[in-house]
């Protein structure tokens, strides 16, 4: 039995008015005793009580009233001693009786504002008449009515795919005078077959990775047993490496704007990009892995400069569990790190994707038993395949899924320390602190949601609607008491709104500070020893064909975009924010980073074999001899003259017009390894 002596004292007239206000805020679903408890808990401060109520505190947890039975809502008739006139019934369809002047006016206005089909007071929020609508800036004026940007992109992609004919995607050559290289503009590397464009772009991109370029330039195969002179290899991984050696020498010294990639593509037996349904990143990753296997093998086992056969981690990092020994057979070599492109803007970046792969949140909860993967030994070059859901955005909408709309962000430089074995303990400690901050952000955002929403309705909008009523609609009709009530209600509502807005601002500030701290918590000197710089970005625009894959490469501080034979300089911002393919589940799909180097070392010229270099110089002279005089007068050749007078008689494997320019065909000829 409830001890009636523990009941609170009856509410004063002012408390009764405030109780009805609080009940109205909750749509009539707060009983009188709990409302009075909450009000007195906050010393009869209506603002604080209203804020606490919106944050979820209904006064029900007060131990003083734990045993009290739940009473009927305040707007229900009261049965018992001390009869009380019930407040007027809730107006139908949100219509407020403007003629009423009783003391329940504020409560009825608030309740009406919280109804599901209420009429709000204030400026109209009705959508404009479509006949007067202006075409949005992101929708083409010629687009059918109601077609979104995503639908337009998908329609254009389908139309382009249906109109694509592989027989028409042929290899076109520019006139000779238009193929003269200007200054230090990079050379394009083009395949004859459009289905090999992805592989040609990787070969082309690796030329601009300093570590890879200089390693290839310094490599020479071992002499055959009993041989006194070196001959160019014709089989195996040495043949593959030699094809790169010749190709890259041409890319450095040739004075043409483009070279054919067919010879090295044949050497590596490049897999074709078979259809528009296949992700170019998948076939690119397989080609890259094949290339890495060949190069790592030849550098260790067929390298005149490595007689001890020491392993060099040029392109394969070693990874395993965080407590693994470098010689542990359970560790693995990895040449391509595959990361998933997320749909959430908060985690749609390379570092977040790597954290999800190497340090998923569930492994942070139980440090003792979790088996985390780390980089045991890093490589000098590291490649990332960016994997997107192949389902186009329009199909996502049909299936009721939220599709990706934010750019995937990748930095111009990144530090791998937080994923490495040597930094595991410190990185794990930092991530635990980061997780705490992120959990705190979630709690703050939940609190903000409770403040701003009730029963899936916008609390502030409803309160402002009530305030608008008292400021612009309610009339006192020369009744002083009525005028005083209107004034008091306006003040109460204004104070409640101001308090909620102040709390929201405070939450937003706390969230911003916590987010900044969480984002930068791993940016400390102890975790910034292994810096890698972006060298290559491969991009897919979502369609199929040789001109729908392109690359960005960095050379001597400048970024260059290569689309088939066209090479143009672009800004770094363009490279990092290219939105091409965003609405077709495409975009950047392959990134190559390498260890940061001093600028002078990064820009240092490669020392290519003299014989191949001389052959390229001779072929440049042959090119010049076929140019019209007016074009030749504008040609500037930065190369020194050939050191050998010998002109190779054999046809070209690398240039487009082999009947004009004839670079080296060194196979079968002795190689002069002297300078």
């Amino acid at each position: 039995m409830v001890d009636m002596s523990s009941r609170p004292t009856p509410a004063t007239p002012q408390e009764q008015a405030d109780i009805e206000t609080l009940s109205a805020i909750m749509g009539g679903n707060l009983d009188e005793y709990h409302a009075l408890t909450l009000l007195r808990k906050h010393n009869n401060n209506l603002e604080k009580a209203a804020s606490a109520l919106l944050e979820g505190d209904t006064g029900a947890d007060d131990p003083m009233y734990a045993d009290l039975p739940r009473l009927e809502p305040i707007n229900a008739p009261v049965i018992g001693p001390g009869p009380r006139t019930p407040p007027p019934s809730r107006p139908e369809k949100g219509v407020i009786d403007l003629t009423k002047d009783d003391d329940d006016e504020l409560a009825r206005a608030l309740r009406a504002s919280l109804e599901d089909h209420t009429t709000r007071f204030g400026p109209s929020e009705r959508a404009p008449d479509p006949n007067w609508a202006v075409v949005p800036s992101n929708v083409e004026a010629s687009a059918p009515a109601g077609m979104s940007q995503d639908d337009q992109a998908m329609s254009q992609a389908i139309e382009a795919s249906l109109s694509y004919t592989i027989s028409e995607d042929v290899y076109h050559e520019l006139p000779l005078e238009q193929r003269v290289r200007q200054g230090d503009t990079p050379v394009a590397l083009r395949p004859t077959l459009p289905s090999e464009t992805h592989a040609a772009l990787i070969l082309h991109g690796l030329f601009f990775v300093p570590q890879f370029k200089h390693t290839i330039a310094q490599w020479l195969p071992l002499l055959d047993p009993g041989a006194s002179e070196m001959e160019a290899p014709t089989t195996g991984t040495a043949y593959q490496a030699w094809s790169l050696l010749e190709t890259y020498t041409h890319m450095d010294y040739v004075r043409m704007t483009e070279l054919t990639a067919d010879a090295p593509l044949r050497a590596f037996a490049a897999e074709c990009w078979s259809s528009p349904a296949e992700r170019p990143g998948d076939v690119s990753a397989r080609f890259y892995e094949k290339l890495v296997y060949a190069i790592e093998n030849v550098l260790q086992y067929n390298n005149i400069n490595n007689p001890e056969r020491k392993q060099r981690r040029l392109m394969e990092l070693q990874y395993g569990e965080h407590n693994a020994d470098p010689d542990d057979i359970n560790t693995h070599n990895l040449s391509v790190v595959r990361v998933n492109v997320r749909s959430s803007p908060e985690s749609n970046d390379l570092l977040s994707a790597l954290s999800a792969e190497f340090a998923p949140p569930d492994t942070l909860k139980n440090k003792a038993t979790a088996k985390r993967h780390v980089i045991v030994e890093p490589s000098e070059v590291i490649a990332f395949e960016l994997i997107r859901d192949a389902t186009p955005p329009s199909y996502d909408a049909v299936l009721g899924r939220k599709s990706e709309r934010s750019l995937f962000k990748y930095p111009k430089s990144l530090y791998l320390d937080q994923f490495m074995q040597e930094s595991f303990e410190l990185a794990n400690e930092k991530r635990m602190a980061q997780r705490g901050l992120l959990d705190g952000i979630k709690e703050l955002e939940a609190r903000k949601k409770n403040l701003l929403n009730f029963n899936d309705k916008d609390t502030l909008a409803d309160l402002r609607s009530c305030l608008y009523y008292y400021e612009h609609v309610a009339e006192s009709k020369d009744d002083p008491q009525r005028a005083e009530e209107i004034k008091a209600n306006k003040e109460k509502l204004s104070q409640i709104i101001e308090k909620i807005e102040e709390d929201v601002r405070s939450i937003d500030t706390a969230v911003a500070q916590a987010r900044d701290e969480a984002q930068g918590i791993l940016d400390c000197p102890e975790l910034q020893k292994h810096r890698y710089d972006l060298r290559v970005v491969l991009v897919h625009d979502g369609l199929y064909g040789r001109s729908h894959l392109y690359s960005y490469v960095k050379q001597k501080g400048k970024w260059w975009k290569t689309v088939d034979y066209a090479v143009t300089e672009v800004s770094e911002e363009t490279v990092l924010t290219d939105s091409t393919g965003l609405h077709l589940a495409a975009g950047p799909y392959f990134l190559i980073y390498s260890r940061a180097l001093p600028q002078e070392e990064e820009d240092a010229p490669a020392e290519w074999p003299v014989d191949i270099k001389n052959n390229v110089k001779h072929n440049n002279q042959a090119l010049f001899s076929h140019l019209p005089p007016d074009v030749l007068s504008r040609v500037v050749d930065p190369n020194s003259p050939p050191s050998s007078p010998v002109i190779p008689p054999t046809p070209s494997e690398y240039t487009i017009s082999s009947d004009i320019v004839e670079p080296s065909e060194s196979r079968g000829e002795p190689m002069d390894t002297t300078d």
Side-chain angles (χ1 to χ4, degrees):
M1 182 173 179
V2 178
D3 181 8
M4 299 304 294
S5 64
S6 65
R7 288 181 177 273
T9 58
T12 65
Q14 180 61 46
E15 286 177 333
Q16 188 64 45
D18 291 343
I19 287 170
E20 293 177 355
T21 299
L22 293 174
S23 181
I25 291 176
M26 299 300 288
N29 293 324
L30 181 67
D31 64 71
E32 180 177 350
Y33 287 103
H34 286 153
L36 180 59
T37 301
L38 185 64
L39 190 63
R40 290 179 175 175
K41 178 180 178 180
H42 294 281
N43 298 321
N44 283 357
N45 187 316
L46 181 60
E47 297 174 44
K48 293 183 178 179
S51 296
L53 181 63
L54 292 170
E55 292 180 17
D57 183 1
T58 62
D61 57 347
D62 194 307
M64 179 176 180
Y65 311 109
D67 297 327
L68 287 179
R70 181 173 178 83
L71 302 182
E72 293 297 321
I74 191 171
N75 59 352
V78 178
I79 302 176
R84 176 174 61 86
T85 303
S89 61
R90 188 177 297 136
E92 292 184 0
K93 297 183 179 178
V95 178
I96 297 178
D97 183 3
L98 302 182
T99 63
K100 266 296 191 182
D101 59 355
D102 57 47
D103 58 1
D104 294 322
E105 186 77 36
L106 174 60
R108 290 187 298 105
L110 284 168
R111 284 198 299 271
S113 72
L114 291 168
E115 286 296 312
D116 290 338
H117 303 287
T118 187
T119 300
R120 286 183 180 172
F121 292 99
S124 173
E125 297 179 359
R126 182 181 59 190
D129 189 324
N131 295 323
W132 294 91
V134 178
V135 177
S137 60
N138 65 339
V139 177
E140 295 183 6
S142 59
M147 179 175 281
S148 67
Q149 186 178 13
D150 292 341
D151 292 334
Q152 290 178 60
M154 182 57 61
S155 176
Q156 293 168 1
I158 293 173
E159 181 180 354
S161 296
L162 292 175
S163 62
Y164 175 80
T165 304
I166 192 168
S167 60
E168 296 178 358
D169 193 355
V170 296
Y171 188 95
H172 293 290
E173 289 185 8
L174 294 174
L176 183 61
E177 57 271 19
Q178 295 183 26
R179 285 185 280 138
V180 178
R181 184 179 179 186
Q182 301 296 323
D184 59 354
T185 301
V187 176
L189 197 58
R190 304 174 63 200
T192 300
L193 298 177
S195 58
E196 295 179 340
T197 301
H198 65 285
L201 287 176
I202 286 180
L203 295 178
H204 180 261
L206 285 171
F207 174 80
F208 299 94
V209 178
Q211 292 87 343
F212 188 80
K213 176 181 177 179
H214 287 278
T215 298
I216 295 298
Q218 295 164 8
W219 171 81
L220 286 174
L222 295 170
L223 292 174
D224 291 333
S228 58
E229 293 182 329
M230 186 189 327
E231 294 185 355
T234 57
T235 60
T237 56
Y239 166 58
Q240 294 171 323
W242 189 268
S243 70
L244 287 180
L245 183 66
E246 291 185 319
T247 300
Y248 288 172
T249 306
H250 282 80
M251 289 180 67
D252 230 357
Y253 287 96
V254 75
R255 297 315 300 165
M256 296 181 68
T257 60
E258 57 189 46
L259 296 171
T260 176
D262 289 350
L265 292 177
R266 284 197 308 269
F268 284 97
E271 176 185 355
C272 291
W273 179 27
S274 58
S275 72
E278 182 177 24
R279 288 189 297 234
D282 292 343
V283 66
S284 297
R286 292 194 294 271
F287 176 77
Y288 186 88
E289 288 170 335
K290 180 189 292 187
L291 182 148
V292 170
Y293 175 81
I295 298 303
E296 292 280 6
N297 180 281
V298 82
L299 289 177
Q300 182 172 2
Y301 299 108
N302 195 353
N303 186 354
I304 198 171
N305 297 313
N306 185 21
E308 300 86 3
R309 295 188 172 186
K310 293 181 179 179
Q311 182 182 17
R312 178 182 176 185
R313 290 201 173 275
L314 177 65
M315 307 173 77
E316 281 187 328
L317 60 83
Q318 182 187 26
Y319 80 99
E321 294 180 3
H322 64 84
N323 55 356
D325 186 84
D327 297 327
D328 193 329
I329 59 172
N330 293 318
T331 61
H332 307 278
N333 293 328
L334 187 66
S335 55
V336 178
V337 179
R338 291 169 170 84
V339 297
N340 293 309
V341 173
R342 311 290 179 180
S343 59
S344 170
E346 292 80 10
S347 60
N348 201 29
D349 63 274
L350 184 57
L351 281 175
S352 296
L354 288 176
S355 295
E357 299 295 328
F358 284 99
D362 57 341
T363 64
L364 299 177
K365 297 177 182 178
N366 193 337
K367 181 179 176 182
T369 60
K371 294 183 178 180
R372 285 257 305 280
H373 283 104
V374 296
I375 299 174
V376 178
E377 188 175 346
S379 54
E380 296 177 52
V381 181
I382 183 169
F384 301 98
E385 180 193 358
L386 309 183
I387 301 176
R388 291 175 172 80
D389 186 352
T391 306
S394 292
Y395 299 155
D396 280 331
V398 171
L399 296 173
R401 296 202 302 249
K402 182 180 178 181
S403 58
E404 175 198 353
R405 287 296 177 274
S406 59
L407 285 174
F408 184 84
K409 300 176 183 178
Y410 41 91
K412 64 179 181 180
S413 298
L414 62 85
Y415 294 93
L416 291 182
D417 302 70
Q418 59 176 291
F419 310 111
M420 294 181 60
Q421 185 183 53
E422 65 184 48
S423 308
F424 173 77
E425 294 296 336
L426 176 60
N428 197 61
E429 178 184 333
K430 296 282 187 180
R431 283 197 182 90
M432 292 289 288
Q434 185 182 58
R435 176 57 53 188
L437 289 168
L438 295 176
D439 290 342
I441 289 173
K442 289 182 180 179
E443 293 177 2
L444 288 170
E445 290 175 339
R447 180 184 171 199
K448 178 181 175 180
K449 183 178 179 181
N450 289 336
L451 281 172
L452 297 179
N453 296 273
F454 178 73
N455 283 345
D456 295 326
K457 294 176 66 65
D458 188 328
T459 304
L460 275 179
D462 291 332
L463 291 172
R464 289 186 182 118
S465 177
C466 290
L467 180 60
Y468 184 90
Y469 166 73
Y470 284 109
E471 288 180 338
H472 302 286
V473 179
E475 297 178 357
S476 65
K477 297 183 179 181
D478 298 326
D479 182 345
Q481 183 178 355
R482 170 72 171 163
E484 188 64 29
E485 289 176 354
I486 292 174
K487 179 181 177 182
N489 289 336
K490 283 196 299 184
E491 291 177 353
K492 289 178 182 179
L493 285 168
S494 296
Q495 291 170 355
I496 292 173
I497 291 172
E498 183 179 351
K499 181 64 169 62
I500 293 175
E501 290 176 337
E502 181 183 350
D503 288 348
V504 168
R505 286 193 297 269
S506 177
I507 290 173
D508 287 342
T509 300
V511 167
Q513 291 175 346
R515 183 168 284 124
D516 288 343
E517 186 177 351
Q519 289 176 346
I521 199 167
L522 289 161
D523 298 336
C524 59
E526 297 85 354
L527 295 176
Q528 293 182 338
K529 300 175 182 178
H530 298 273
R531 195 186 96 189
Y532 285 71
D533 291 340
L534 181 64
R535 309 294 185 184
V536 182
V537 180
L538 304 187
V539 185
H540 178 214
D541 69 6
L543 304 181
Y544 186 72
R546 71 168 65 246
S547 63
H548 299 294
L549 299 178
Y550 59 90
S551 69
Y552 292 111
V553 297
K554 190 176 184 181
Q555 175 179 264
K556 295 183 178 179
K558 297 179 181 179
W559 281 98
W560 300 86
K561 179 180 180 179
T562 302
V563 186
D564 196 16
Y565 59 80
V567 181
T568 54
E569 185 178 352
V570 297
S571 67
E572 184 173 77
E573 181 182 5
T574 298
V575 178
L576 299 177
T577 61
D578 190 342
S579 61
T580 299
L582 180 63
H583 300 287
L584 294 175
Y589 65 90
F590 205 83
L591 310 174
I592 302 179
Y593 286 77
S594 74
R595 281 193 182 276
L597 297 172
Q599 195 63 48
E600 61 274 10
E601 186 176 345
E602 185 175 313
D603 296 339
E607 296 295 331
W608 303 105
V610 175
D611 284 6
I612 303 177
K613 188 164 56 176
N614 280 334
N615 289 336
V616 179
K617 293 179 179 180
H618 281 299
N619 286 308
N620 286 338
Q621 294 177 350
L623 166 66
F624 300 153
S625 68
H626 287 81
L627 294 176
D630 59 325
V631 176
L632 183 60
S633 64
R634 300 192 298 271
V635 171
V636 176
D637 185 3
N639 299 323
S640 60
S643 60
S644 168
V646 179
I647 301 176
T650 51
S652 168
E653 283 189 278
Y654 299 94
T655 54
I656 307 304
S657 301
S658 58
D659 56 333
I660 296 175
V661 183
E662 301 175 346
S664 70
E665 175 67 27
S666 55
R667 295 176 181 81
E669 300 176 5
M671 167 58 68
D672 181 6
T673 59
T674 64
D675 293 333

